[in-house]
C-alpha cells in the first residue's frame, strides 16, 4: 500500500477506537437522573459571578428570580468591577420582577493569584454561607433557566444511582445559542470535542478518574465545597469548571455531568471572531501551556480529522483504492459520531461531513491561543490577562 493509504488506515483505526473505546462520547443521552422528590427540600443559594453583563441580565436574571422551588432559596450576584451598571441593573430587575430575594455583592479587584470569576465566586459564596444553605448553585450571568431548573437539579442530586448515594456535584452543559451560520458550524462541535475529551459516562460512573463540569450550571453541596476548599483551592484556574470538578472528586465527592434540556446560554457569538476569542482564550491553558502537548495535539487533530477527506480525494485522483476506501470509511465514522450532537442542537445532519473543516478551525484557534500566550496576551477575558498558574503568587 502507498504511504497515504497507510496513514489513512491509521486514521480509520483511531476512529474505530474513538467510536467504541472512548466512553461512547458521541451519544447525547446523559440527562439529569430521574429521582424521587425529597421529603424535605434543602435550602439553596444561587451564586452568579458577573462582569459587565448588563446586556445579558435582562434575559438571564429574571429566570433565576422566577424559580419555582419548594424550599428556601435566594440569589447572590457578585458584581466583578463592572463599569456598565451590572449591579444597579440587577437590583432594578429584582425590584421589577420580584421572586427570589437578591443580594448584590461587590468584591472589588481580585487579589494577585486569583482569576476574576473565582474571586467573585469567593465573595458570593461567602455571603451565601451566612445563610447556611445546604446547596450552592453556581451559574453564569449569561445562563437562562426554566422555572423548574433548580427543582430538577436538587432532585437529581438526592441520589446518585441504584446504590442510593447522593451526588455532591451536578452539572449541566447549557444548550449554547445556535442562530448564525458560524454558530451552526462551530458551536455543536464545541460540545462534541468537550465530550470527546471528557466522556460524560466516564465522569458519571462511581469511582471515576475522569472529572469535568460545565461552569454555566453547577449545583454543589455546601459541605462538599467546604471539604474541597472551593474556590480557594482552584483560585488560579482559567478552566475553572474542570478544576472545580477535579477538586470535588479528589476530596471524595461524587460528581455528575450531562446535557441540559431546560438551561440555555443566551450569549450570542454571531461571527467567527467572537467564537475564535471564546475558544482561543483558554485552549492553551487546556494543554497546560505545554509546547510538547501543543505539538502532539496539532498532529493528532490532523491525523484524526484532516487525513480522512484528504486521503479520500487523493485516492480517487491517484487511483489508489486503499487510500480512498480507508479515508472514506474514517470520514463516514467521523460524520456518524457527530450526528447525535447535531440532532441535539436541532441542526441539519448535512453539517456532519463539514466536521473536518471545523476541526481545522479549532486547531488554528488552539495555535493562536499559544501564540497569544507567548506574546503575553494569553487567557485574556473582559480586560484581564491571567498568568499561567505556576507564575501566580501564592497566598
Amino acid at each position: 500500500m502507498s504511504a497515504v493509504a497507510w496513514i489513512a488506515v491509521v486514521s480509520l483505526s483511531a476512529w474505530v477506537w474513538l467510536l467504541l473505546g472512548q466512553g461512547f462520547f458521541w451519544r447525547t443521552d446523559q440527562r439529569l437522573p430521574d429521582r424521587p422528590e425529597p421529603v424535605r427540600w434543602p435550602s439553596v443559594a444561587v451564586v452568579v459571578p458577573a462582569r459587565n453583563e448588563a446586556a445579558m441580565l435582562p434575559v438571564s436574571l429574571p429566570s433565576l428570580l422566577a424559580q419555582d422551588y419548594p424550599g428556601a432559596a435566594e440569589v447572590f450576584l457578585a458584581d466583578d468591577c463592572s463599569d456598565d451598571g451590572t449591579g444597579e441593573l440587577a437590583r432594578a430587575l429584582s425590584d421589577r420582577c420580584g421572586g427570589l430575594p437578591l443580594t448584590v455583592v461587590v468584591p472589588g479587584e481580585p487579589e494577585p493569584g486569583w482569576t476574576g470569576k473565582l474571586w467573585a465566586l469567593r465573595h458570593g459564596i461567602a455571603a451565601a454561607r451566612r445563610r447556611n444553605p445546604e446547596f450552592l448553585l453556581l451559574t453564569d450571568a449569561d445562563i437562562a433557566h426554566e422555572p423548574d431548573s433548580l427543582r430538577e437539579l436538587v432532585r437529581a442530586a438526592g441520589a446518585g444511582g441504584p446504590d442510593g448515594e447522593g451526588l455532591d456535584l451536578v452539572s449541566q452543559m447549557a444548550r449554547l445559542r445556535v442562530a448564525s451560520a458560524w454558530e451552526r458550524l462551530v458551536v455543536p462541535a464545541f460540545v462534541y470535542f468537550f465530550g470527546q475529551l471528557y466522556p460524560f459516562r466516564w465522569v458519571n460512573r462511581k469511582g471515576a478518574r475522569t472529572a469535568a463540569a460545565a461552569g454555566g450550571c453547577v449545583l454543589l453541596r455546601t459541605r462538599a465545597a467546604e471539604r474541597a476548599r472551593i474556590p480557594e483551592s482552584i483560585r488560579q484556574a482559567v478552566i475553572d469548571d474542570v478544576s472545580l470538578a477535579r477538586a470535588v472528586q479528589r476530596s471524595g465527592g461524587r460528581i455528575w455531568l450531562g446535557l441540559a434540556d431546560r438551561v440555555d446560554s443566551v450569549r450570542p457569538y454571531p461571527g467567527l471572531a467572537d467564537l475564535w476569542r471564546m475558544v482561543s482564550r483558554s485552549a492553551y491553558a487546556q494543554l497546560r501551556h505545554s509546547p510538547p502537548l501543543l505539538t502532539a495535539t496539532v498532529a493528532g487533530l490532523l491525523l484524526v480529522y484532516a487525513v480522512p477527506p484528504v486521503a479520500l480525494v487523493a485516492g480517487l485522483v491517484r487511483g489508489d483504492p486503499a487510500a480512498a476506501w480507508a479515508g472514506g470509511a474514517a470520514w463516514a465514522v467521523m460524520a456518524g459520531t457527530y450526528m447525535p450532537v447535531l440532532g441535539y442542537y436541532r441542526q441539519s445532519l448535512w453539517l456532519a461531513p463539514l466536521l473536518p473543516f471545523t476541526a481545522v478551525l479549532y486547531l488554528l484557534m488552539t495555535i493562536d491561543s499559544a501564540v497569544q500566550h507567548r506574546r503575553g496576551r494569553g487567557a485574556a477575558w473582559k480586560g484581564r490577562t491571567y498568568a499561567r498558574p505556576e507564575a501566580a503568587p501564592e497566598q
Side-chain angles (χ1 to χ4, degrees):
M1 291 195 302
S2 66
V4 173
W6 277 114
I7 295 172
V9 167
V10 173
S11 181
L12 175 59
S13 300
W15 273 110
V16 171
W17 181 83
L18 287 170
L19 175 69
L20 302 175
Q22 189 66 5
F24 295 101
F25 75 93
W26 41 272
R27 296 184 58 173
T28 57
D29 56 354
Q30 293 295 291
R31 309 299 173 87
L32 282 178
D34 185 15
R35 306 301 177 201
E37 291 191 350
V39 176
R40 180 188 65 82
W41 289 91
S43 58
V44 182
V46 181
V47 182
V48 185
R51 177 173 170 81
N52 292 333
E53 295 287 8
M56 298 293 103
L57 286 185
V59 182
S60 62
L61 186 58
S63 75
L64 289 172
L65 300 174
Q67 285 301 297
D68 178 19
Y69 184 67
E74 54 185 309
V75 180
F76 296 83
L77 185 139
D79 182 5
D80 181 17
C81 300
S82 301
D83 56 17
D84 67 348
T86 288
E88 293 81 359
L89 176 60
R91 294 186 184 94
L93 288 169
S94 176
D95 293 339
R96 185 189 315 158
C97 300
L100 300 184
L102 172 74
T103 299
V104 176
V105 179
V106 183
E109 285 291 340
E111 293 179 357
W114 285 83
T115 64
K117 178 180 177 179
L118 291 171
W119 178 253
L121 274 178
R122 179 194 191 190
H123 288 266
I125 290 174
R129 280 177 176 165
R130 299 188 187 107
R131 308 286 204 274
N132 295 314
E134 295 167 76
F135 280 92
L136 302 166
L137 174 61
L138 313 179
T139 186
D140 289 345
D142 60 352
I143 301 298
H145 295 252
E146 292 294 330
D148 62 350
S149 174
L150 181 56
R151 176 198 292 258
E152 292 303 308
L153 284 164
V154 171
R155 187 158 69 95
D163 53 14
E165 293 184 4
L167 293 165
D168 294 291
L169 183 154
V170 178
S171 180
Q172 288 185 290
M173 178 167 281
R175 198 188 300 263
L176 303 174
R177 197 189 92 135
V178 177
S180 70
W182 282 111
E183 286 172 333
R184 293 188 182 97
L185 184 68
V186 174
V187 167
F190 179 85
V191 177
Y192 176 86
F193 293 140
F194 185 91
Q196 195 174 77
L197 281 173
Y198 306 103
F200 292 0
R201 278 177 173 74
W202 288 2
V203 172
N204 296 342
R205 65 190 181 190
K206 187 176 181 180
R209 295 183 179 180
T210 303
C217 179
V218 177
L219 183 74
L220 180 62
R221 288 187 191 271
T222 304
R223 66 171 181 264
E226 293 169 349
R227 188 170 61 240
R229 296 179 53 248
I230 301 297
E232 285 79 8
S233 63
I234 60 169
R235 63 185 181 273
Q236 302 173 17
V238 174
I239 307 176
D240 52 87
D241 44 10
V242 175
S243 298
L244 187 155
R246 286 173 178 163
V248 172
Q249 187 188 76
R250 287 170 180 168
S251 65
R254 179 86 183 273
I255 67 176
W256 185 93
L257 169 64
L259 294 173
D261 288 314
R262 301 168 68 77
V263 179
D264 300 287
S265 172
V266 297
R267 189 181 302 281
Y269 294 97
L272 178 59
D274 306 293
L275 291 159
W276 194 288
R277 284 192 293 271
M278 185 265 288
V279 174
S280 65
R281 70 184 178 92
S282 60
Y284 196 43
Q286 180 72 57
L287 301 177
R288 302 196 292 272
H289 306 100
S290 167
L293 271 180
L294 175 65
T295 302
T297 298
V298 170
L301 285 173
L302 290 174
L303 173 66
V304 173
Y305 290 98
V307 163
V310 171
L312 174 60
V313 172
L316 293 175
V317 170
R318 296 183 178 184
D320 186 343
W325 179 87
W331 197 359
V333 174
M334 180 198 317
T337 62
Y338 191 36
M339 286 181 179
V341 175
L342 289 173
Y344 170 73
Y345 272 97
R346 305 182 185 95
Q347 298 302 303
S348 170
L349 299 184
W350 289 106
L351 289 171
L354 298 180
L355 185 57
F357 173 73
T358 306
V360 170
L361 279 180
Y362 273 86
L363 184 153
L364 295 175
M365 294 173 191
T366 302
I367 294 173
D368 180 60
S369 178
V371 170
Q372 296 306 318
H373 178 85
R374 294 283 294 179
R375 292 176 175 175
R377 298 196 295 268
W381 185 243
K382 294 192 175 183
R384 293 190 179 119
T385 300
Y386 300 110
R388 68 176 68 187
E390 62 269 22
E394 291 291 331
Q395 291 187 334

